Amino acid sequence: MRKEDVSVRVREYDKEKDREEVEEMERQCELGLQGKPSLDTDLMGDPICRIRHSPSYVMLVAEYGEDKGIVGVIRGCIKTVTRGKEPIGSFPIYAKVAYILGLRVLPTHRRKGIATKLVEKLEEWCKEEGAEYAYMATDCTNEASINLFTLKCAYVKFRTPTILVQPVHAHYKPIGPGITIIRLAPHLAESIYRRVFTNSEFFPKDIDVIISNKLNLGTFMALPKRVLHKWDPKSGHLPPCFAILSVWNSKEVFKLQVKGVSVLNYALCVGSRMLDAWMPWLRIPSIPDVFRPFGVYSLYGLHMEGGKGASRLMKSLCAFAHNMASDDLGCGALVAEVGRMDPVREAVPHWRRFSWAEDLWCMKKLSTTDYEDEKSGVPDWITSRPSSPVIFFDPRDF
């Protein structure tokens, strides 16, 4: 049995006492490799702001030594989500899951077991809150994080969704001819989402709360103009061909900044932006000013139906979201996370160099009994195959 390090104390974050120290600690943490381009994250407002939109959340800090200085931090939130549909039937199966994020330990205090202790303490809180599973997400190349969770904390590699990133250019993107885009009322958006994501994984039970959140900029549907006049939303039927997505204003929660690029790359990026601003009719694929703090819009709830024409609708819908972001000073990119085999993946415009082909999700079962699963005939989520290639991305988790 591993002997507990009594010099490490983990406790809940105190906003009044810890805010400045946590902010300074996170600034000191290495978020990239020395001498290579890195992406720094700057949370807006209180450090707990990134999770406070979730139904249940906590932030823990680790103190070390006699001076009890804060050397580590971790965040966690709990929600109820779908894990697919019932083996027989069309109703979704719900599970209470915890999402672990924001694990940071000062470079000077790593390899002392602090990260492991933070994860263990957070898991204790998750169990007390009734969470059945816990999961985390990391870049598939982040070996340190993967080893911590899989080798020391008994997590298993679970899903590998794709993160698609589209820079916001200085020029507007055109909407396809014959296509109209409408804004859906919250109650209609909720109704559609609950229908089309029934068989998916990680669809939140409180989708109505997300849609009505002040950070949600709206849910939009793209339709062929010939279909618009024939579709009656009150009928309860979906149009034969459509695309839908929602836009979340993540720039009000955190800012990003690219550091460590070469002078040549910096000049190329600035030059492309200036040329695009001077001659927008050329539609140059310019790069926004990512060398100063910038925000992003998160696209979620992406879904399309109607065959080949639906792909064109989704592209126009993404162009519409891009133009929204272009009007918002300081918004530098659109980000969408989708399942690796989700059909919308090929329809979402993105720059491959800025995107992640695989964003590794690792999961662990927290409940100690399989009785309920055996009773219902539902296999354990971690070992079962997904019932759908669709993974719903919760914008609160980004």
Side-chain angles (χ1 to χ4, degrees):
M1 181 178 293
R2 180 171 58 87
K3 186 177 180 181
E4 184 175 0
D5 188 348
V6 295
S7 60
V8 181
R9 175 174 173 260
V10 176
R11 61 171 175 80
E12 193 166 335
Y13 168 77
D14 185 326
K15 176 180 178 179
E16 301 300 326
K17 184 173 69 171
D18 301 330
R19 177 171 174 174
E20 290 186 5
E21 190 172 359
V22 168
E23 289 177 345
E24 178 59 29
M25 186 221 73
E26 293 198 321
R27 274 194 289 268
Q28 295 181 37
C29 288
E30 297 174 345
L31 301 182
L33 297 175
Q34 191 69 24
K36 294 187 177 182
S38 63
L39 190 64
D40 284 1
T41 306
D42 182 20
L43 294 176
M44 304 292 290
D46 186 48
I48 207 169
C49 67
R50 189 173 175 184
I51 54 175
R52 64 182 176 85
H53 297 284
S54 299
S56 179
Y57 58 88
V58 73
M59 179 171 168
L60 303 178
V61 297
E63 297 175 328
Y64 187 83
E66 296 181 358
D67 60 352
K68 296 184 178 180
I70 294 178
V71 297
V73 65
I74 193 170
R75 300 169 178 86
C77 53
I78 296 178
K79 56 192 174 180
T80 301
V81 302
T82 56
R83 45 167 290 189
K85 66 176 182 179
E86 294 179 348
I88 301 177
S90 58
F91 293 102
I93 305 171
Y94 284 99
K96 198 170 184 179
V97 302
Y99 178 55
I100 299 175
L101 70 162
L103 175 61
R104 300 280 187 269
V105 176
L106 278 176
T108 54
H109 289 74
R110 292 173 184 172
R111 301 185 184 277
K112 298 179 183 291
I114 296 173
T116 304
K117 191 163 185 177
L118 281 166
V119 174
E120 291 173 347
K121 291 295 184 181
L122 182 57
E123 286 180 351
E124 291 178 10
W125 175 83
C126 294
K127 291 178 182 178
E128 292 173 358
E129 294 292 313
E132 304 166 67
Y133 297 89
Y135 75 104
M136 53 75 70
T138 188
D139 188 333
C140 63
T141 62
N142 190 342
E143 294 185 6
S145 180
I146 295 172
N147 290 338
L148 168 66
F149 280 91
T150 60
L151 300 181
K152 295 184 179 181
C153 301
Y155 284 69
V156 297
K157 296 178 181 180
F158 186 61
R159 299 288 184 259
T160 52
T162 299
I163 297 179
L164 306 174
V165 180
Q166 172 67 43
V168 175
H169 308 312
H171 63 269
Y172 275 15
K173 288 192 167 190
I175 306 300
I179 295 175
T180 187
I181 295 175
I182 61 174
R183 182 184 185 122
L184 300 179
H187 70 278
L188 180 57
E190 177 190 351
S191 175
I192 294 175
Y193 275 153
R194 291 195 186 280
R195 291 174 62 181
V196 300
F197 287 107
T198 297
N199 300 334
S200 68
E201 292 184 313
F202 294 96
F203 178 73
K205 196 172 185 178
D206 64 338
I207 184 64
D208 55 319
V209 175
I210 298 175
I211 292 174
S212 61
N213 191 289
K214 65 180 181 180
L215 295 181
N216 193 67
L217 300 181
T219 300
F220 305 93
M221 177 180 281
L223 298 159
K225 289 183 178 178
R226 56 180 171 79
V227 171
L228 178 62
H229 302 295
K230 300 178 182 179
W231 177 55
D232 180 9
K234 297 180 181 179
S235 67
H237 299 291
L238 292 174
C241 187
F242 72 95
I244 185 174
L245 62 73
S246 295
V247 183
W248 183 270
N249 188 3
S250 296
K251 70 186 286 286
E252 299 302 322
V253 180
F254 61 86
K255 300 285 188 181
L256 301 172
Q257 183 178 7
V258 175
K259 295 182 178 180
V261 298
S262 66
V263 176
L264 176 60
N265 284 332
Y266 177 85
L268 290 173
C269 292
V270 173
S272 71
R273 189 71 175 178
M274 293 175 62
L275 193 59
D276 192 12
W278 291 340
M279 294 179 285
W281 59 89
L282 293 178
R283 303 194 184 282
I284 295 171
S286 59
I287 300 176
D289 187 0
V290 295
F291 311 111
R292 291 187 295 181
F294 67 95
V296 301
Y297 279 0
S298 299
L299 307 183
Y300 71 97
L302 292 86
H303 179 80
M304 61 187 190
E305 293 184 17
K308 295 181 180 179
S311 179
R312 193 169 71 94
L313 294 175
M314 178 57 71
K315 290 179 180 178
S316 290
L317 204 52
C318 291
F320 176 82
H322 170 277
N323 296 343
M324 286 177 59
S326 184
D327 287 334
D328 190 346
L329 185 65
C331 187
L334 301 175
V335 180
E337 187 161 10
V338 298
R340 189 163 53 91
M341 303 301 293
D342 192 327
V344 303
R345 175 179 175 176
E346 300 303 321
V348 178
H350 62 280
W351 281 22
R352 185 174 299 178
R353 188 170 183 179
F354 288 173
S355 304
W356 288 265
E358 289 188 356
D359 180 38
L360 179 63
W361 289 14
C362 297
M363 180 177 275
K364 177 179 180 178
K365 187 170 184 179
L366 299 179
S367 57
T368 57
T369 176
D370 294 326
Y371 174 72
E372 290 298 328
D373 286 344
E374 293 175 357
K375 183 179 178 181
S376 62
V378 178
D380 179 52
W381 191 6
I382 295 178
T383 59
S384 62
R385 298 184 62 180
S387 59
S388 167
V390 177
I391 298 176
F392 189 93
F393 167 64
D394 190 329
R396 297 172 298 188
D397 293 348
F398 186 71

